[in-house]
């Protein structure tokens, strides 16, 4: 696919879009927790691919490249939002609460899936990133490290901490559900 992209083959671009669009959208939606922003960032990721396709080396791992671009765009969007808030005189140490898309809007599925999505949404960004990359997108910790711009050892440590945080959040969800008799 990368070779075709390097030649400017539109079929290769279409294949890349078809192969990665949904995965990138899911990653960005869970990372940003804003549907419109995630859609915008997916489109911008593919604009970047179109702009840089001819410069990609033949050995480029396209998935890792796309997820790196998508993550960097999400970080830039977060910085832009923070800067805009600062410019209008809204200086806060804690970012404003954004609407978290309820799990039932993200997926139709089981209560366990809903509890997992809710627990994941409540984690800090660094934990969501590594869990989404390794757990949902099936990148190896070394590949996730490349995407995140950290060492493989740091990625493994971050993944262990994120898994522990997710486990604790799920335990808290379960305790709250049992305390309310299963109704929340």
């Amino acid at each position: 696919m990368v070779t075709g992209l390097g030649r400017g083959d539109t079929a290769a671009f279409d294949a890349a879009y078809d192969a990665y669009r949904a995965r990138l959208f899911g990653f960005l939606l869970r990372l940003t927790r804003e549907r419109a922003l995630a859609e915008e960032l997916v489109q911008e990721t593919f604009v970047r691919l179109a702009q840089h396709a001819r410069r990609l080396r033949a050995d480029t791992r396209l998935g890792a490249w796309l997820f790196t671009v998508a993550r960097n765009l999400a970080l830039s969007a977060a910085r832009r939002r923070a800067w805009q808030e600062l410019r209008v005189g809204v200086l806060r140490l804690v970012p404003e609460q954004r609407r978290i898309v309820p799990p039932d809007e993200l997926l139709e599925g089981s209560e366990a899936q809903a509890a997992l999505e809710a627990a994941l949404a409540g984690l800090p960004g660094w934990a969501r990133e590594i869990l989404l990359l390794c757990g949902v997108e099936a990148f190896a910790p070394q590949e996730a490290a490349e995407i995140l711009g950290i060492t493989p050892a740091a990625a493994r440590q971050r993944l262990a901490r994120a898994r522990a945080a997710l486990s604790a959040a799920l335990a808290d969800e379960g305790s709250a559900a049992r305390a309310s008799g299963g109704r929340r």
Side-chain angles (χ1 to χ4, degrees):
M1 194 177 321
V2 174
T3 305
L5 289 167
R7 289 191 314 260
D9 183 1
T10 57
F13 183 87
D14 291 344
Y17 185 83
D18 290 342
Y20 290 102
R21 183 200 52 77
R23 289 177 59 194
L24 287 166
F25 177 72
F27 172 70
L28 289 166
L29 178 60
R30 288 180 176 106
L31 192 61
T32 65
R33 296 179 284 162
E34 293 183 40
R35 183 173 295 278
L37 179 58
E39 290 170 352
E40 179 182 325
L41 294 175
V42 167
Q43 293 306 313
E44 183 60 28
T45 299
F46 283 103
V47 166
R48 299 287 172 92
L49 176 60
Q51 291 171 338
H52 298 282
R54 293 186 185 271
R55 291 183 287 214
L56 294 177
R57 294 184 0 204
D59 64 343
T60 299
R61 289 189 326 273
L62 187 58
W65 189 90
L66 287 168
F67 275 85
T68 300
V69 170
R71 175 184 179 262
N72 289 340
L73 289 170
L75 292 174
S76 293
R79 283 191 294 270
R80 230 180 357 266
R81 172 174 280 155
W83 177 247
Q84 288 169 346
E85 288 178 359
L86 180 65
R87 288 185 63 189
V88 296
V90 182
L91 177 61
R92 351 176 222 265
L93 297 176
V94 179
E96 85 179 44
Q97 282 288 48
R98 296 185 193 119
R99 178 182 176 270
I100 296 174
V101 179
D104 61 328
E105 287 181 23
L106 290 174
L107 302 171
E108 292 180 6
S110 68
E111 287 183 27
Q113 181 68 41
L116 177 62
E117 289 289 344
L120 188 61
L123 294 178
W126 65 265
R128 278 196 319 276
E129 278 182 338
I130 194 78
L131 288 170
L132 291 171
L133 288 171
C134 294
V136 177
E137 297 304 329
F139 284 105
Q142 184 170 345
E143 292 174 304
E146 183 180 324
I147 292 168
L148 298 172
I150 59 177
T151 66
R156 286 189 299 275
Q157 184 177 43
R158 191 177 286 186
L159 181 58
R161 288 181 179 163
R163 285 177 174 156
L166 181 61
S167 180
L170 287 170
D172 290 346
E173 285 280 321
S175 296
R178 283 189 298 278
S180 67
R183 295 179 309 274
R184 303 212 335 113

